[in-house]
Amino acid sequence: MTSTGMRTHQCGELRAEHIGQTVSLCGWVATRREHGEHLAFVDLRDHTGLTQCVVDNAVDVRPEYVIRVTGVVAARPAESANDRIATGAVEIQDCQVEILNTAEAPPFPINERADQVAEGTRLQYRYLDLRRERMQRNLRVRSAVNSAVRSAMEGQGFVEVETPMLVPSTPEGAREFIVPSRKEPGAFYALPQSPQLFKQLLMVAGVDRYFQIARCLRDEDLRADRQYEFMQLDAEMSFATQDDVLAAISKAVLDAAEVVTGERPAPIERITWHEAMNTYGSDKPDLRFGMNLTELTDAFASTGFKAFAGAACIKGINATGRAEEFGRNKLDAMTDRAKKIGAKGLVWLKVGGDGSLDSPVAKFLSDSEQAAVKERLGAKPGDLLLVVADTWMTTCEVLGQLRNDLGRPPVYEGPYRYVWVVDFPLFVSVDETTGRPRPGHHPFCHPKPEDLDRMETDPMSVRAQAYDLVLNGWELGSGSIRIHEPALQRRVFNLLGISDEDADRRFGFFLTPFRYGAPPHGGFAFGLDRLVAILAGEENIREVIAFPKTQSGSDPMTNAPTPVEPKQLNDLGIRVLPRSS
Ligand code: ASP
């Protein structure tokens, strides 16, 4: 299937059944070993694997030379058969070698040992890094995921539409990359954080079901699950309920997972945002392990312990069997971490062999309080119990982080646990300077109809028809049913402190179309890089992106970002200020 005018087979293809055939293979020299006086073994590599070729040792081939080998497939002598590689039963003998290209010695070996090479070096020579088996596999997992997602969407009647890369600045929450306009010095385009506004306009346009494997750009600090540029499956549908959107996206995600793992995951479960926070202390709960947050507030209703008295919410977790591991220094470090996250303090209690509680605060807790803590947390000797008392949100967040710190396996480790988190709050926090609520997601999410009458009086209690998809504790993506009624959109903008005039000035292009008959609609977008990384067994999305940026946002291969010529800046009407030190 992949034979060409230059090769009959690929380097991972030959088996015992090919013995006796004359074949031609093309690829890179992986290794060369001298064999006796006249011969050398050359392992020839392409992305499918390796084949051992027996060549005349007068032929000057070295690692990473590009060669074409023609010879006869033969059984390897039993003592040299290699059952660790798929082609290990055969070799090519009587090889004629054609050197297609020589190569300088590579800066690192093109095999798994390059995993230990500094990130900057791997990225500087990314084309060599990508030549390796692991990276080739990752690129192919990615391609399989893209293809499964595309056909799942097409199969459900979604139409692929491309949207522009040069867009106006939009209010989606992340910092944008901006691009100066040459025709209008002083004016700027933004690169899209997502196609959000355009996909909604496609609904106004009657497209009905849109999708796009879209590039999105956000100028945010890079980390394991974040790059400046990333790919999303972006989708939007008209006349659809939340259930419709979740079903359509679930199919795409599960089809992709099945293509890669060979197994159909179970249907995706659902929990509310409140339940996720309350039980796992996170809006991206990792369901692969327990250590759930346990309610203790009522057990301390009449406590004499000052730190707990009157606290709105007291909860605990049980790090089973971890008491011994946590000496004083580690406990102090964990307490500092809890404080950094926002707690006033952290109470730890170690369960002794006789079931007694060893803790600096044990003496302040009554017998019945101690008994309740032990009973509710299922404490056994050797367990480490951690308790936080604060507002509900802070208690949940702090214990949720500690739960992750203590129990979370690497993100790619099975079993894969997908979960829809639904009913996000419309607003997440209050801006301290303006006193205004901040949107939980973007300001186009439709509030739950039953919560609408509390929008002005109790905005923080209003839930949105907004949902996230989470896999193994990573947020894969988010979406919502959108506001399609102009009056409601203005109401939300007003609550956010965006006046009607401001809204018209900033998003007129988006709001005006809604006056011309916008259908009810909703959508979703999920990060393909994140899904691919988990399915490929990688902890960092960089490993599944062909040409990513380093942690500091640069590209050691192309040297981007680079200064530009003064003339280019002049044309754009831009003057660069000296760097402040
Ligand atoms: N545009 C949103 C995002 O990129 C997803 C959505 O609401 O559909 O997070």
Side-chain angles (χ1 to χ4, degrees), residues 172 193-194 196 199 218 232 234-236 441-442 478-480 482 523-525:
E172 281 177 78
Q193 298 180 42
S194 83
Q196 184 66 33
K199 68 174 170 177
R218 298 182 190 176
Q232 283 191 342
D234 193 48
E236 197 73 15
H441 193 28
H442 47 58
S478 347
S480 59
R482 324 296 184 185
F524 195 76

mmCIF file of all heavy atoms in Angstrom, residues 172 193-194 196 199 218 232 234-236 441-442 478-480 482 523-525, ligand 1:
data_model
loop_
_atom_site.group_PDB
_atom_site.id
_atom_site.type_symbol
_atom_site.label_atom_id
_atom_site.label_comp_id
_atom_site.label_asym_id
_atom_site.label_seq_id
_atom_site.Cartn_x
_atom_site.Cartn_y
_atom_site.Cartn_z
ATOM 1 N N GLU A 172 -13.430 37.019 25.675
ATOM 2 C CA GLU A 172 -13.540 35.629 26.116
ATOM 3 C C GLU A 172 -12.709 35.313 27.334
ATOM 4 O O GLU A 172 -12.664 34.184 27.800
ATOM 5 C CB GLU A 172 -13.169 34.695 24.970
ATOM 6 C CG GLU A 172 -14.284 34.538 23.988
ATOM 7 C CD GLU A 172 -13.834 33.670 22.853
ATOM 8 O OE1 GLU A 172 -13.794 32.464 23.035
ATOM 9 O OE2 GLU A 172 -13.481 34.220 21.799
ATOM 10 N N GLN A 193 -9.067 33.759 20.114
ATOM 11 C CA GLN A 193 -8.972 32.860 21.282
ATOM 12 C C GLN A 193 -9.760 31.602 20.992
ATOM 13 O O GLN A 193 -9.502 30.535 21.522
ATOM 14 C CB GLN A 193 -9.587 33.517 22.501
ATOM 15 C CG GLN A 193 -8.907 34.780 22.911
ATOM 16 C CD GLN A 193 -9.582 35.371 24.135
ATOM 17 O OE1 GLN A 193 -9.935 34.664 25.066
ATOM 18 N NE2 GLN A 193 -9.771 36.666 24.142
ATOM 19 N N SER A 194 -10.777 31.760 20.167
ATOM 20 C CA SER A 194 -11.586 30.641 19.679
ATOM 21 C C SER A 194 -12.500 31.253 18.622
ATOM 22 O O SER A 194 -12.615 32.468 18.533
ATOM 23 C CB SER A 194 -12.396 30.020 20.814
ATOM 24 O OG SER A 194 -13.580 30.756 21.038
ATOM 25 N N GLN A 196 -15.480 31.585 18.708
ATOM 26 C CA GLN A 196 -16.764 31.714 19.411
ATOM 27 C C GLN A 196 -17.806 32.587 18.699
ATOM 28 O O GLN A 196 -18.898 32.151 18.388
ATOM 29 C CB GLN A 196 -16.530 32.280 20.820
ATOM 30 C CG GLN A 196 -17.782 32.356 21.672
ATOM 31 C CD GLN A 196 -18.330 30.977 21.999
ATOM 32 O OE1 GLN A 196 -17.564 30.030 22.155
ATOM 33 N NE2 GLN A 196 -19.637 30.847 22.050
ATOM 34 N N LYS A 199 -18.863 31.332 15.214
ATOM 35 C CA LYS A 199 -19.711 30.132 15.131
ATOM 36 C C LYS A 199 -21.133 30.479 15.526
ATOM 37 O O LYS A 199 -22.090 29.930 14.976
ATOM 38 C CB LYS A 199 -19.137 28.967 15.934
ATOM 39 C CG LYS A 199 -19.116 29.081 17.432
ATOM 40 C CD LYS A 199 -18.641 27.753 18.043
ATOM 41 C CE LYS A 199 -18.363 27.869 19.526
ATOM 42 N NZ LYS A 199 -17.985 26.595 20.131
ATOM 43 N N ARG A 218 -3.946 31.937 22.573
ATOM 44 C CA ARG A 218 -4.125 32.675 23.831
ATOM 45 C C ARG A 218 -2.755 32.972 24.421
ATOM 46 O O ARG A 218 -1.921 32.069 24.543
ATOM 47 C CB ARG A 218 -4.967 31.839 24.819
ATOM 48 C CG ARG A 218 -6.345 31.569 24.259
ATOM 49 C CD ARG A 218 -7.253 30.791 25.176
ATOM 50 N NE ARG A 218 -8.435 30.407 24.411
ATOM 51 C CZ ARG A 218 -9.431 29.654 24.837
ATOM 52 N NH1 ARG A 218 -9.421 29.198 26.068
ATOM 53 N NH2 ARG A 218 -10.460 29.366 24.063
ATOM 54 N N GLN A 232 -8.696 22.974 18.725
ATOM 55 C CA GLN A 232 -9.933 22.560 19.381
ATOM 56 C C GLN A 232 -10.845 21.928 18.352
ATOM 57 O O GLN A 232 -10.859 22.345 17.192
ATOM 58 C CB GLN A 232 -10.695 23.782 19.892
ATOM 59 C CG GLN A 232 -10.143 24.394 21.154
ATOM 60 C CD GLN A 232 -11.083 25.424 21.737
ATOM 61 O OE1 GLN A 232 -11.984 25.923 21.055
ATOM 62 N NE2 GLN A 232 -10.885 25.751 22.992
ATOM 63 N N ASP A 234 -14.233 22.535 17.561
ATOM 64 C CA ASP A 234 -15.151 23.613 17.897
ATOM 65 C C ASP A 234 -16.484 23.292 17.215
ATOM 66 O O ASP A 234 -16.487 22.936 16.034
ATOM 67 C CB ASP A 234 -14.559 24.921 17.354
ATOM 68 C CG ASP A 234 -15.266 26.125 17.912
ATOM 69 O OD1 ASP A 234 -15.456 26.183 19.137
ATOM 70 O OD2 ASP A 234 -15.648 27.003 17.107
ATOM 71 N N ALA A 235 -17.576 23.388 17.950
ATOM 72 C CA ALA A 235 -18.862 22.996 17.351
ATOM 73 C C ALA A 235 -19.978 23.871 17.889
ATOM 74 O O ALA A 235 -19.884 24.425 18.985
ATOM 75 C CB ALA A 235 -19.162 21.529 17.676
ATOM 76 N N GLU A 236 -21.008 23.985 17.091
ATOM 77 C CA GLU A 236 -22.176 24.770 17.504
ATOM 78 C C GLU A 236 -23.395 24.168 16.820
ATOM 79 O O GLU A 236 -23.296 23.694 15.668
ATOM 80 C CB GLU A 236 -21.975 26.236 17.074
ATOM 81 C CG GLU A 236 -22.868 27.236 17.762
ATOM 82 C CD GLU A 236 -22.503 27.506 19.232
ATOM 83 O OE1 GLU A 236 -21.402 27.158 19.690
ATOM 84 O OE2 GLU A 236 -23.372 28.071 19.940
ATOM 85 N N HIS A 441 -17.500 31.820 32.471
ATOM 86 C CA HIS A 441 -16.886 31.391 31.225
ATOM 87 C C HIS A 441 -16.806 32.629 30.346
ATOM 88 O O HIS A 441 -16.148 33.598 30.700
ATOM 89 C CB HIS A 441 -17.732 30.263 30.634
ATOM 90 C CG HIS A 441 -17.056 29.534 29.530
ATOM 91 N ND1 HIS A 441 -15.698 29.412 29.430
ATOM 92 C CD2 HIS A 441 -17.557 28.872 28.465
ATOM 93 C CE1 HIS A 441 -15.388 28.722 28.346
ATOM 94 N NE2 HIS A 441 -16.503 28.381 27.740
ATOM 95 N N HIS A 442 -17.512 32.674 29.226
ATOM 96 C CA HIS A 442 -17.600 33.922 28.481
ATOM 97 C C HIS A 442 -19.009 34.481 28.686
ATOM 98 O O HIS A 442 -19.890 33.769 29.171
ATOM 99 C CB HIS A 442 -17.236 33.730 27.013
ATOM 100 C CG HIS A 442 -17.894 32.560 26.366
ATOM 101 N ND1 HIS A 442 -19.261 32.432 26.317
ATOM 102 C CD2 HIS A 442 -17.387 31.458 25.779
ATOM 103 C CE1 HIS A 442 -19.559 31.309 25.699
ATOM 104 N NE2 HIS A 442 -18.437 30.687 25.370
ATOM 105 N N SER A 478 -15.026 23.201 27.141
ATOM 106 C CA SER A 478 -16.225 23.788 27.734
ATOM 107 C C SER A 478 -17.195 24.201 26.653
ATOM 108 O O SER A 478 -16.830 24.366 25.489
ATOM 109 C CB SER A 478 -15.958 25.066 28.511
ATOM 110 O OG SER A 478 -14.633 25.270 28.749
ATOM 111 N N GLY A 479 -18.400 24.435 27.105
ATOM 112 C CA GLY A 479 -19.411 24.933 26.179
ATOM 113 C C GLY A 479 -20.623 25.386 26.949
ATOM 114 O O GLY A 479 -20.650 25.319 28.182
ATOM 115 N N SER A 480 -21.605 25.845 26.194
ATOM 116 C CA SER A 480 -22.820 26.317 26.850
ATOM 117 C C SER A 480 -23.943 26.452 25.837
ATOM 118 O O SER A 480 -23.697 26.464 24.624
ATOM 119 C CB SER A 480 -22.574 27.685 27.507
ATOM 120 O OG SER A 480 -22.158 28.631 26.544
ATOM 121 N N ARG A 482 -26.243 29.220 24.440
ATOM 122 C CA ARG A 482 -25.922 30.654 24.364
ATOM 123 C C ARG A 482 -27.164 31.513 24.561
ATOM 124 O O ARG A 482 -28.280 31.065 24.306
ATOM 125 C CB ARG A 482 -25.325 30.998 23.001
ATOM 126 C CG ARG A 482 -24.446 29.952 22.387
ATOM 127 C CD ARG A 482 -23.201 29.701 23.187
ATOM 128 N NE ARG A 482 -22.349 28.730 22.483
ATOM 129 C CZ ARG A 482 -21.236 28.227 22.980
ATOM 130 N NH1 ARG A 482 -20.822 28.563 24.186
ATOM 131 N NH2 ARG A 482 -20.526 27.358 22.285
ATOM 132 N N GLY A 523 -23.209 25.195 22.045
ATOM 133 C CA GLY A 523 -22.068 24.504 21.449
ATOM 134 C C GLY A 523 -21.044 24.104 22.471
ATOM 135 O O GLY A 523 -21.275 24.146 23.686
ATOM 136 N N PHE A 524 -19.905 23.758 21.930
ATOM 137 C CA PHE A 524 -18.850 23.220 22.780
ATOM 138 C C PHE A 524 -17.531 23.288 22.022
ATOM 139 O O PHE A 524 -17.512 23.373 20.799
ATOM 140 C CB PHE A 524 -19.141 21.750 23.100
ATOM 141 C CG PHE A 524 -18.313 21.235 24.242
ATOM 142 C CD1 PHE A 524 -18.640 21.580 25.538
ATOM 143 C CD2 PHE A 524 -17.196 20.441 24.013
ATOM 144 C CE1 PHE A 524 -17.866 21.129 26.603
ATOM 145 C CE2 PHE A 524 -16.420 19.996 25.076
ATOM 146 C CZ PHE A 524 -16.765 20.337 26.368
ATOM 147 N N ALA A 525 -16.445 23.265 22.772
ATOM 148 C CA ALA A 525 -15.141 23.116 22.129
ATOM 149 C C ALA A 525 -14.253 22.321 23.058
ATOM 150 O O ALA A 525 -14.268 22.554 24.269
ATOM 151 C CB ALA A 525 -14.512 24.476 21.874
HETATM 152 N N1 ASP B 1 -15.289 29.148 22.899
HETATM 153 C C1 ASP B 1 -15.276 28.344 24.071
HETATM 154 C C2 ASP B 1 -13.846 27.990 24.433
HETATM 155 O O1 ASP B 1 -12.995 28.008 23.575
HETATM 156 C C3 ASP B 1 -15.998 27.059 23.931
HETATM 157 C C4 ASP B 1 -17.468 27.240 23.750
HETATM 158 O O2 ASP B 1 -18.119 27.888 24.581
HETATM 159 O O3 ASP B 1 -17.984 26.663 22.793
HETATM 160 O O4 ASP B 1 -13.554 27.664 25.570
#
